[in-house]
Amino acid sequence: MRKEVRSYFTVLFLLLTNGLMAGTGKWNSSATGTAINYTTSAATGSAAKDANGKLMTVVYLENLGFQKIGQNSNADDVAWLRQQGYQVIELDYAKNGKAVSPALNKDIIDINSSLQNGKFCGVNCSPSRSYILMEGYRLCRDISYYKDDPSVYNYPDAYKNSQGDSLFLDLVYPANPSHPVPVVVTFSYSNSYATNKHQRMNLTNSWGQFKDSFVEGASAVGFAWAVCDHPKYCEWGQGKYTGGGNKSLGAIEVNPDAACKVKSAIRTIRGVGSSMGLNGEVVVTGFSRGSTAAALAVGDGYIATYEDASRGRFAEESSKVQCAILGPGMFDYQHALASSNEYTRMSAFVSSTGSSWEQQGALATIENNASAPTLFFHNTDDFFADKNKDPQGLYATQAQLMKERLDAVGTATATLTGYSSGHAVPQSETDLLQMYNFMISHVTMTSGISIIRKQSENDVDAPTYDLLGRRVSSTHKGLIIRNGRLYRQ
């Protein structure tokens, strides 16, 4: 083979292996109802892979229908992501007016469904470590937020006598932001543990399977977001307390361990977020076991063992949150004992440790109206395994008990129920708007939907509408429209 021909193939090989040649094509967007252009690009640095050798992927939504918060060019941010080792798939919405919240959540659901199956836009992707980012956002992965105590769950055997692993979180933040932003924090409902680390983004066990788009969609309303390892650092259904039988902590996350982890995660996000364009305001959310964990951040009361930061980080930061969006979860284990077969195991644990019944649930710290305003969502037929003992449904009763406690101390609450069926998350635009509007009304921010205008005297007395065009009170909190202009009040 001639020298110049060999040189040509050598250069071509290097271009291919280094990912400098991109793939292109069309992808059908449910949000816009059109086919949009995509570009796939491999990592330019060492490719980041999950534990199974699958490529970590960022699906980057660009040229959306609202103003960017991050001020870098998309080319710069994509190049940065590739340098961090991510395969990047760019979806170009060409400034389509329908590429806004919450319509974009339809695409998030579709994208995650494909990623869950290991492939999107013709390329192989990790189903457990892939992310959807809005334009202007970057990703800081694997931030340590707590050192686990192996003696709490004593699982697996090879781990229980170790020094303990770190629990981690991933933070998606605006790069070079036009203004600081709040952050919505969730605790995964897919468990990481010693022999199966970094499962917080496992789509098969969480967002993909359940078509959950709320957290990743929050950037379209001006939020950063973070996903944290679940506080139970143990395979769900496993774990035993010292002296307890096998699986004696099967479906239970116990305090003070869980509460210390939740609070440390929030402190850590505040501690690192000040240099990442965050304004220090935190909204906490969760679904199922993730809701049980997130609820531990709601109360304003002080319990010393919950605040122990010896295994955590950023002890000087606050662990309080501005509001909470809680799906079906366990908030009062004492009631659950009377109604549930699964949670009768808590009786033996409390007896063996001398723990307070109340302190095993989130209600323990709700003392006054400094507790976080909370929206509860659950389906009316989400009976779990207790429909014969608890006619209302276990999760409906749990939400009612926590809501009643918050209402009694004068903290704002709201309920979203009957949005679908079974153990599920809201997916419709109407329901997602209610959830986004609730958290927007409790933080100080400029929305990513549009530029929020200062109200003029001429607008104050005009008819007031919400984002769905429904007439609302002039004192309605959240995003409103008057005289065709978008405001926040």
Side-chain angles (χ1 to χ4, degrees):
M1 185 181 292
R2 293 176 59 185
K3 182 177 180 181
E4 59 268 27
V5 176
R6 287 199 302 269
S7 297
Y8 168 80
F9 282 110
T10 299
V11 171
L12 180 61
F13 174 77
L14 290 173
L15 287 172
L16 290 170
T17 55
N18 287 322
L20 300 179
M21 297 184 70
T24 59
K26 297 280 188 181
W27 179 74
N28 292 321
S29 164
S30 296
T32 65
T34 63
I36 63 176
N37 294 323
Y38 73 76
T39 303
T40 63
S41 303
T44 51
S46 178
K49 299 179 181 179
D50 65 18
N52 295 316
K54 303 296 184 182
L55 293 172
M56 297 190 196
T57 301
V58 169
V59 180
Y60 188 84
L61 314 187
E62 61 191 20
N63 296 319
L64 298 167
F66 54 88
Q67 185 175 350
K68 281 174 61 179
I69 294 174
Q71 299 178 91
N72 297 335
S73 70
N74 287 331
D76 284 346
D77 283 336
V78 168
W80 184 89
L81 288 165
R82 293 175 66 195
Q83 289 166 1
Q84 305 306 305
Y86 299 106
Q87 171 180 251
V88 179
I89 303 172
E90 298 170 71
L91 299 183
D92 187 349
Y93 284 81
K95 301 295 183 182
N96 191 301
K98 296 180 181 179
V100 296
S101 177
L104 274 172
N105 290 63
K106 299 174 187 174
D107 284 358
I108 292 172
I109 291 171
D110 290 346
I111 294 165
N112 277 333
S113 293
S114 293
L115 292 171
Q116 177 186 349
N117 292 323
K119 198 164 190 174
F120 183 59
C121 288
V123 296
N124 295 322
C125 309
S126 168
S128 61
R129 307 215 72 186
S130 291
Y131 308 81
I132 301 172
L133 272 58
M134 306 287 177
E135 60 184 346
Y137 281 77
R138 292 184 179 181
L139 165 65
C140 186
R141 193 184 76 243
D142 300 345
I143 301 172
S144 172
Y145 79 83
Y146 196 88
K147 186 175 182 181
D148 183 55
D149 180 354
S151 69
V152 174
Y153 295 106
N154 294 291
Y155 178 88
D157 287 341
Y159 173 68
K160 65 184 181 182
N161 295 319
S162 73
Q163 295 300 307
D165 292 342
S166 282
L167 274 71
F168 295 96
L169 62 88
D170 302 326
L171 176 61
V172 171
Y173 62 96
N176 187 22
S178 58
H179 60 271
V181 301
V183 58
V184 57
V185 179
T186 191
F187 293 88
S188 178
Y189 44 102
S190 175
N191 291 61
S192 302
Y193 50 97
T195 55
N196 200 20
K197 299 179 181 180
H198 300 302
Q199 295 301 302
R200 56 193 169 275
M201 283 289 296
N202 189 322
L203 295 171
T204 302
N205 297 333
S206 59
W207 293 349
Q209 177 184 354
F210 283 89
K211 303 186 185 305
D212 190 345
S213 65
F214 178 72
V215 173
E216 288 184 298
S219 296
V221 289
F223 281 72
W225 58 268
V227 56
C228 310
D229 277 335
H230 189 274
K232 184 173 183 178
Y233 192 70
C234 173
E235 183 179 359
W236 197 250
Q238 298 288 344
K240 59 182 179 181
Y241 57 89
T242 302
N246 187 40
K247 299 184 180 182
S248 54
L249 293 176
I252 302 169
E253 52 204 73
V254 298
N255 287 328
D257 179 76
C260 288
K261 290 171 177 172
V262 167
K263 291 176 178 294
S264 184
I266 294 166
R267 294 196 309 266
T268 298
I269 290 167
R270 281 203 170 97
V272 303
S274 59
S275 63
M276 295 181 178
L278 306 192
N279 68 6
E281 296 186 314
V282 177
V283 175
V284 70
T285 187
F287 171 72
S288 197
R289 70 192 70 166
S291 178
T292 303
L296 295 169
V298 169
D300 64 289
Y302 179 84
I303 297 176
T305 54
Y306 285 14
E307 305 295 339
D308 183 1
S310 59
R311 302 183 78 93
R313 299 186 65 194
F314 295 97
E316 71 282 1
E317 296 286 351
S318 169
S319 61
K320 292 188 178 298
V321 298
Q322 273 56 56
C323 72
I325 311 286
L326 300 180
M330 297 300 303
F331 314 131
D332 180 355
Y333 283 106
Q334 191 166 14
H335 173 84
L337 257 189
S339 63
S340 166
N341 291 325
E342 177 63 42
Y343 293 91
T344 53
R345 296 177 177 178
M346 182 64 86
S347 177
F349 170 75
V350 170
S351 177
S352 69
T353 60
S355 305
S356 160
W357 270 113
E358 189 177 35
Q359 287 187 16
Q360 289 306 314
L363 274 63
T365 59
I366 299 172
E367 293 184 356
N368 59 54
N369 63 7
S371 295
T374 303
L375 181 149
F376 298 92
F377 67 86
H378 61 271
N379 279 316
T380 52
D381 64 346
D382 189 0
F383 292 163
F384 196 51
D386 304 289
K387 60 183 178 182
N388 294 324
K389 291 186 177 182
D390 200 335
Q392 183 181 222
L394 175 65
Y395 292 130
T397 298
Q398 289 290 307
Q400 177 185 328
L401 291 167
M402 187 166 174
K403 185 179 185 301
E404 287 175 350
R405 178 74 68 91
L406 290 168
D407 289 343
V409 299
T411 294
T413 62
T415 300
L416 171 60
T417 189
Y419 46 83
S420 60
S421 63
H423 201 51
V425 300
Q427 296 175 32
S428 75
E429 292 188 32
T430 302
D431 295 332
L432 288 165
L433 268 177
Q434 181 176 337
M435 295 163 70
Y436 287 136
N437 203 38
F438 184 88
M439 67 180 190
I440 287 169
S441 69
H442 292 289
V443 297
T444 304
M445 64 176 292
T446 299
S447 173
I449 295 175
S450 179
I451 299 174
I452 307 301
R453 300 168 175 86
K454 183 177 180 180
Q455 296 180 53
S456 67
E457 291 182 3
N458 293 333
D459 289 331
V460 172
D461 295 327
T464 304
Y465 301 89
D466 66 13
L467 294 183
L468 293 178
R470 299 174 299 195
R471 185 76 179 265
V472 294
S473 164
S474 61
T475 60
H476 180 80
K477 296 297 183 182
L479 290 177
I480 60 168
I481 297 173
R482 287 198 184 111
N483 286 338
R485 297 182 176 89
L486 183 65
Y487 303 112
R488 177 190 174 277
Q489 69 174 16

